[in-house]
Amino acid sequence: MTAALIIAAGKTDRKDRFTPEKQLGAITALERIVTLFKLAGIRRIVVVGDENELPQKLVPAMDLVFLTASAEGEMLDSIKKGLFYLKDKCRGVLITYADIPMFSRQTVEQLLDGCEEARIPAYRGRCGHPVLLRAECFDRILSYNGGGGLKGAMQSAGIRRQIIETDDAGILAEGKLGTAYERLLPDHDLTRLRASFQIRISREKGFYGPGVHHLLQLTEEFGSLSRACEHMGMSYTKGRKIIAVMEEQLGVPVLETRQGGRNGGFSRLTEEAKHMMNCYSAFREEAESVLSELFQKHFSGGKENDAG
């Protein structure tokens, strides 16, 4: 599984820096990046944001993991924070900055189609983002303390890089591109019709969907419901209510918890909760495949796919 890492914190030497909250079309730049990654099949997406200006409000209910970093730190510090979190959780990661929102799905798929330690897209000889970094390289980047950002870290670590030439101008920062991102909008993937659906499970009430699934995943990962809520940008009160509704509808406990004490408290999933997660994951994967085929059957080849 390949993850995505979006960096929205750290010092930059770019002038007139493009901000992730800027509207591009009907959505923010950060929403555009997240949606594009999801469209390309990336499920685990981590956002490293400024501890003073949290980005959760820009991408609500999109099942992300939020980490914080100092706005005064280097960009590489924010990248390291994301890589440290993702260690042992993925085979590789696509790294991009929150002010580069216009790369294409095709570019992401090109980057994923290879086995080199690092794959970097280029447009007319100029390298851009996202950068694909394999998991076996994470420790080498984490141990680097020199300058030059991610590029300097990769060079110092001797990471083998492959440059992938593309026809995608959206891989470049707006300043390097020499034109406004708005000029790229008409041809961007997200201007085309696409199927958009969320698989939910109900009894008397709807009680399970992608957000609940994500909450349970993080609770199991952190051993703590409160930490899971924190990394989702959700209040603990809301997280408890979600668990309470799920337990009510299933009629079984979802979490085993222990309060504080000498060895600290914990929250872990019951076997019934784990079974629900496994069933949901398998069902969602098959359902999304079938629904995508139906969308192609009913919408492909006609004027419906022309955003104009």
Side-chain angles (χ1 to χ4, degrees):
M1 182 267 292
T2 300
L5 176 57
I6 304 170
I7 304 302
K11 292 188 295 186
T12 177
D13 58 1
R14 297 176 197 163
K15 296 179 180 179
D16 301 320
R17 187 182 176 197
F18 186 95
T19 55
E21 63 268 21
K22 179 178 177 179
Q23 290 287 126
L24 274 174
I27 58 178
T28 66
L30 191 54
E31 285 178 285
R32 186 169 289 274
I33 296 171
V34 170
T35 304
L36 194 285
F37 276 138
K38 287 178 176 286
L39 188 61
I42 307 297
R43 290 200 184 274
R44 187 182 284 268
I45 302 175
V46 177
V47 179
V48 181
D50 182 345
E51 59 192 359
N52 298 316
E53 296 182 19
L54 300 179
Q56 288 92 321
K57 65 181 183 298
L58 302 178
V59 278
M62 295 191 79
D63 306 330
L64 311 177
V65 173
F66 295 98
L67 307 176
T68 58
S70 171
E72 298 306 311
E74 301 296 331
M75 287 290 191
L76 183 58
D77 296 330
S78 296
I79 292 173
K80 284 183 175 183
K81 192 148 196 175
L83 294 183
F84 185 80
Y85 169 77
L86 287 167
K87 282 181 63 174
D88 305 319
K89 296 183 178 70
C90 62
R91 295 195 306 268
V93 62
L94 289 155
I95 304 170
T96 193
Y97 298 111
D99 57 353
I100 304 179
M102 293 301 293
F103 55 86
S104 71
R105 176 180 180 176
Q106 183 179 16
T107 292
V108 172
E109 291 171 346
Q110 283 181 270
L111 293 171
L112 294 174
D113 187 23
C115 57
E116 294 80 14
E117 290 185 323
R119 292 167 67 83
I120 302 171
Y123 175 70
R124 297 181 179 177
R126 306 186 74 179
C127 293
H129 291 82
V131 170
L132 176 66
L133 186 68
R134 299 297 177 189
E136 57 265 29
C137 302
F138 288 8
D139 282 334
R140 283 181 274 171
I141 299 296
L142 289 169
S143 64
Y144 178 73
N145 293 309
L150 180 60
K151 181 179 179 180
M154 289 195 292
Q155 289 175 339
S156 176
I159 292 171
R160 297 187 300 275
R161 299 175 296 163
Q162 182 179 22
I163 307 301
I164 310 298
E165 189 64 35
T166 74
D167 60 358
D168 182 7
I171 68 168
L172 301 178
E174 193 171 39
K176 292 184 178 179
L177 185 59
T179 187
Y181 276 144
E182 282 80 2
R183 295 189 64 179
L184 302 180
L185 278 174
D187 296 319
H188 194 252
D189 293 284
L190 300 190
T191 62
R192 303 183 184 96
L193 284 185
R194 57 190 171 86
S196 179
F197 36 77
Q198 292 185 330
I199 307 300
R200 299 188 179 279
I201 309 298
S202 302
R203 272 189 170 158
E204 291 179 320
K205 296 178 181 178
F207 69 92
Y208 201 94
V212 182
H213 189 72
H214 189 50
L215 178 62
L216 294 187
Q217 284 180 318
L218 292 185
T219 300
E220 183 73 357
E221 181 180 305
F222 289 115
S224 166
L225 176 61
S226 62
R227 288 190 66 196
C229 292
E230 176 187 345
H231 283 83
M232 287 180 68
M234 174 191 298
S235 72
Y236 178 71
T237 300
K238 181 176 181 180
R240 279 296 331 163
K241 287 180 179 178
I242 289 171
I243 296 300
V245 170
M246 183 176 174
E247 290 181 332
E248 174 194 63
Q249 292 300 300
L250 284 179
V252 296
V254 170
L255 294 182
E256 297 176 359
T257 61
R258 184 176 69 187
Q259 301 296 323
R262 184 175 180 181
N263 297 316
F266 66 81
S267 299
R268 66 179 171 224
L269 304 185
T270 62
E271 290 304 313
E272 291 85 354
K274 292 177 183 178
H275 178 69
M276 184 71 185
M277 289 181 68
N278 291 336
C279 290
Y280 179 83
S281 293
F283 173 61
R284 178 173 65 176
E285 185 174 346
E286 288 192 47
E288 288 178 349
S289 177
V290 170
L291 288 170
S292 293
E293 289 178 7
L294 288 173
F295 177 80
Q296 291 300 317
K297 174 182 176 181
H298 293 289
F299 286 89
S300 65
K303 291 184 178 180
E304 295 89 348
N305 274 324
D306 185 351

